[in-house]
Amino acid sequence: MAKRVGYVDIAKAIAVLFIILGHTGLVFNADMTPGGVPYPVTRFAFTFHLPTFFILSGFFLHAERPLTLDGVKRDARSLLVPYAVACALTVAGAVAVAVLTPGVPAAETARRWIGASLWGAGATHPMALVQTERIGGIWFLLALFWIRILIPLTSRIPDIPRLLVMAGLLAASVLAGQHVWLPWSILSGLGCAFYVYLGWLIRKHGLFERLHGAMWAVPAALWAAVIVFGGNASLAMSVYPLGAVDVAGGVAGALCVTRLAKAIEDHAPAVARFGCWVGRNTLPIFALHIVEDNVAPWHAYALQLSQLTGGAPWSWLAPLACRLAVDAVLVALAYLLPVTRPVFFPHAARSDGRPQISRG
């Protein structure tokens, strides 16, 4: 198993927190509901959280290794099994909510979410071959599975030409998405392979450590430009309104967040310990957050909260805190249950004391 790097785990913790914040802003935003998340805050979150996850996923990827059947099986266990379990929990949770909600047909709810699980898209797309419910943020696991097949397939190509190939695939996913959208987040993976491979290059050549002092002004300026003018890119749908600026800004944001994480590791040990714990467990946190994001009627709760607080500007902090608490409970339950523990906590020991096989 690859040795963990503290600041990488801390950066992942920051990214998952802002994923939850960003999703809260989508259902409870100030433009539509008094007291909702201010739009600039939501836009800020979307400038960096997923690029950070993808780039850091590349830090410990063995991109120099060719594709093997054993590797595909390993990636299927570590990515597709959690995806399937999260989808099953979504279907079960959605049906339970439908049964408890008058006028909501449980059978139709089950059909809709099963269809979404099988289609595997992060969002609805007008060019989709099949129009069905989106499965939400769990698309990340499907995309990463395709990426871990694609990158080994290009292992014989030298670094720079290979990076150009990945950039070409990103452009191809954007162009293809304007005409057709494929199932299982195939095009999303095709595009996001660029970020993962770039993360591998950064780690391989020590580029993060080579940035010193005033050199950080460049990524900071790029990220600032996207914060001010962008924030509307969708990695899930391969949509980049500002083109290369959105991509460069996302990469720059990921670098800046990782630099912040390194500073936390060096100067705030108590915060760093908590951040490392969260970062080690981003798989269950992220997957189970998407389950509650799909199932719980957060928009209705947010409207009720807005009415109770009179639309006070801080109102959105309450549903955010509530979601974090719900996610913490779900993660604890997933750890305690023998069925879900090996799926979401592959690094943990089995209840019988035998170590889990590393999944990466």
Side-chain angles (χ1 to χ4, degrees):
M1 179 163 46
K3 182 180 178 181
R4 304 205 72 91
V5 177
Y7 68 82
V8 171
D9 281 334
I10 296 168
K12 288 164 62 179
I14 295 170
V16 79
L17 172 63
F18 276 89
I19 282 176
I20 298 171
L21 172 57
H23 288 167
T24 302
L26 293 180
V27 297
F28 186 32
N29 62 81
D31 291 344
M32 298 181 63
T33 309
V37 181
Y39 178 64
V41 174
T42 302
R43 187 173 63 182
F44 169 74
F46 276 86
T47 62
F48 77 92
H49 56 36
L50 281 178
T52 299
F53 263 121
F54 277 114
I55 287 174
L56 294 181
S57 294
F59 264 43
F60 303 105
L61 185 70
H62 297 290
E64 74 285 355
R65 296 179 183 176
L67 184 67
T68 64
L69 181 58
D70 285 343
V72 174
K73 290 179 179 178
R74 183 175 58 250
D75 291 333
R77 287 195 302 268
S78 63
L79 297 170
L80 299 187
V81 172
Y83 173 83
V85 172
C87 287
L89 292 173
T90 295
V91 173
V95 170
V97 170
V99 169
L100 296 173
T101 306
V104 178
E108 172 59 23
T109 298
R111 185 202 64 78
R112 187 161 52 91
W113 283 108
I114 290 172
S117 302
L118 295 175
W119 182 251
T124 56
H125 196 288
M127 298 299 176
L129 296 174
V130 176
Q131 291 297 327
T132 186
E133 183 72 65
R134 92 288 181 275
I135 197 59
I138 204 72
W139 70 271
F140 174 87
L141 298 179
L142 289 177
L144 196 55
F145 174 72
W146 300 121
I147 291 168
R148 289 188 177 178
I149 290 177
L150 175 63
I151 289 180
L153 283 174
T154 60
S155 61
R156 294 183 179 275
I157 304 175
D159 288 356
I160 299 304
R162 198 175 179 191
L163 181 62
L164 294 176
V165 168
M166 297 301 161
L169 293 176
L170 172 57
S173 73
V174 173
L175 294 174
Q178 297 173 9
H179 303 284
V180 65
W181 194 253
L182 301 177
W184 313 315
S185 294
I186 292 173
L187 287 180
S188 307
L190 197 70
C192 292
F194 171 81
Y195 296 97
V196 176
Y197 181 69
L198 183 62
W200 181 75
L201 283 181
I202 290 170
R203 180 72 172 167
K204 176 185 178 182
H205 296 288
L207 299 180
F208 180 76
E209 290 77 12
R210 293 184 183 183
L211 287 174
H212 297 287
M215 296 172 68
W216 280 100
V218 176
L222 281 171
W223 190 23
V226 172
I227 291 171
V228 174
F229 301 108
N232 298 307
S234 171
L235 275 65
M237 295 289 101
S238 293
V239 172
Y240 298 88
L242 298 182
V245 175
D246 275 327
V247 177
V251 172
L255 288 173
C256 290
V257 167
T258 306
R259 180 65 185 87
L260 171 62
K262 186 67 171 68
I264 292 173
E265 181 183 41
D266 292 342
H267 304 293
V271 178
R273 284 193 294 272
F274 178 72
C276 285
W277 180 86
V278 173
R280 287 194 299 270
N281 294 287
T282 47
L283 171 62
I285 294 170
F286 174 74
L288 296 172
H289 159 66
I290 299 304
V291 172
E292 55 89 352
D293 189 55
N294 287 336
V295 171
W298 290 111
H299 181 64
Y301 296 156
L303 287 174
Q304 295 173 3
L305 178 66
S306 177
Q307 294 171 357
L308 288 174
T309 61
W314 49 265
S315 299
W316 61 274
L317 294 173
L320 176 61
C322 183
R323 298 190 80 167
L324 292 172
V326 168
D327 292 339
V329 171
L330 291 175
V331 169
L333 289 174
Y335 184 82
L336 293 173
L337 293 174
V339 175
T340 52
R341 186 177 183 183
V343 174
F344 294 119
F345 299 90
H347 57 281
R350 286 196 180 101
S351 58
D352 61 8
R354 289 179 296 170
Q356 286 283 0
I357 298 172
S358 169
R359 296 182 186 174

